[in-house]
Amino acid sequence: MSLKNKIGVLGGTFDPPHIGHLKISNICLKKLKLKKVLWAITKKSPLKKSSFFSLKQRIKMSKDLTKKEKKIKVFFIEKRLNSNKTINLVRYLKKRHDVHFIIGSDNLVNFHKWHKFQDILKTCKLVVLSRKGFDKKAKKSVIMNPLKNKKIIFIKNKHINVSSTSIRKHLLHGSN
């Protein structure tokens, strides 16, 4: 048994942060018995073009959303790491923590495109939460065969009908 703190890491642009991020954080805290969940905000996702909100706005909105959550901490560490790569983040956190990296099943579908995805899986456990329309694709994704689920934890959860994409579309186009 590890003496390290068991933590969850929810990484992303949080563009914008929303109640769904809170819900999945709290699901993971409870089901995995985590000490805390860190929201690791990235300046820019390597797989996306640009952000709608500035980094400063996203950090402030995230802190406002989590201010009553004692076990959820918001942080931006890319400057210290001199990197926005997940592998560098989990290696850094692994020195002091038992890391569980949290993603949705939509992200598992393209996880093989992440920088050093095999090393991420060697460094931490990958926690995959259900996202409507992606669970079957995720379980048939490229990385599932070689891994044989050893480092992946699937959590069944009620679908959360909110996403940063839908919020941005609403902000851009109104409630049409």
Side-chain angles (χ1 to χ4, degrees):
M1 177 143 161
S2 175
L3 296 174
K4 294 180 178 181
N5 290 329
K6 189 173 167 184
I7 64 164
V9 178
L10 183 61
T13 54
F14 293 85
D15 189 29
H18 53 73
I19 195 74
H21 294 124
L22 272 181
K23 285 182 180 181
I24 62 174
S25 297
N26 282 310
I27 289 167
C28 289
L29 281 163
K30 184 177 179 181
K31 290 196 175 191
L32 300 172
K33 296 178 175 49
L34 301 174
K35 182 125 176 135
K36 63 184 165 186
V37 171
L38 303 176
W39 285 12
I41 300 179
T42 186
K43 188 172 184 175
K44 182 186 175 303
S45 169
L47 301 177
K48 294 180 183 171
K49 288 182 183 177
S50 62
S51 298
F52 187 85
F53 292 98
S54 72
L55 175 63
K56 189 175 180 179
Q57 288 172 311
R58 291 182 280 126
I59 290 171
K60 183 185 181 326
M61 288 187 288
S62 296
K63 286 182 176 181
D64 289 347
L65 188 61
T66 60
K67 67 183 170 201
K68 292 182 181 174
E69 303 288 333
K70 289 179 173 40
K71 292 187 173 188
I72 300 173
K73 302 293 178 211
V74 175
F75 76 111
F76 174 73
I77 195 167
E78 289 178 7
K79 277 187 180 175
R80 186 183 313 166
L81 296 177
N82 198 25
S83 171
N84 69 343
K85 304 293 186 208
T86 299
I87 185 58
N88 296 325
L89 172 64
V90 294
R91 281 178 178 156
Y92 173 81
L93 293 171
K94 187 73 175 175
K95 294 173 189 171
R96 291 188 193 93
H97 305 286
D98 177 12
V99 180
H100 290 67
F101 195 80
I102 304 164
I103 64 171
S105 58
D106 55 328
N107 282 311
L108 187 63
V109 173
N110 292 310
F111 194 73
H112 64 284
K113 294 178 182 176
W114 290 33
H115 180 72
K116 296 189 176 185
F117 76 92
Q118 300 99 328
D119 292 342
I120 295 169
L121 293 165
K122 290 175 189 170
T123 307
C124 65
K125 289 207 170 61
L126 191 65
V127 178
V128 181
L129 282 99
S130 182
R131 289 288 303 262
K132 189 174 183 177
F134 288 96
D135 294 354
K136 285 182 184 175
K137 288 180 200 170
K139 290 191 177 180
K140 293 178 182 176
S141 67
V142 173
I143 69 160
M144 289 307 293
N145 225 0
L147 294 174
K148 297 182 177 78
N149 295 340
K150 288 180 184 172
K151 297 287 276 189
I152 301 179
I153 300 167
F154 287 91
I155 294 183
K156 288 195 181 268
N157 56 287
K158 290 181 184 176
H159 289 136
I160 299 164
N161 293 321
V162 64
S163 71
S164 295
T165 303
S166 63
I167 293 170
R168 287 191 307 272
K169 283 181 183 175
H170 177 77
L171 290 171
L172 283 170
H173 306 293
S175 56
N176 295 342

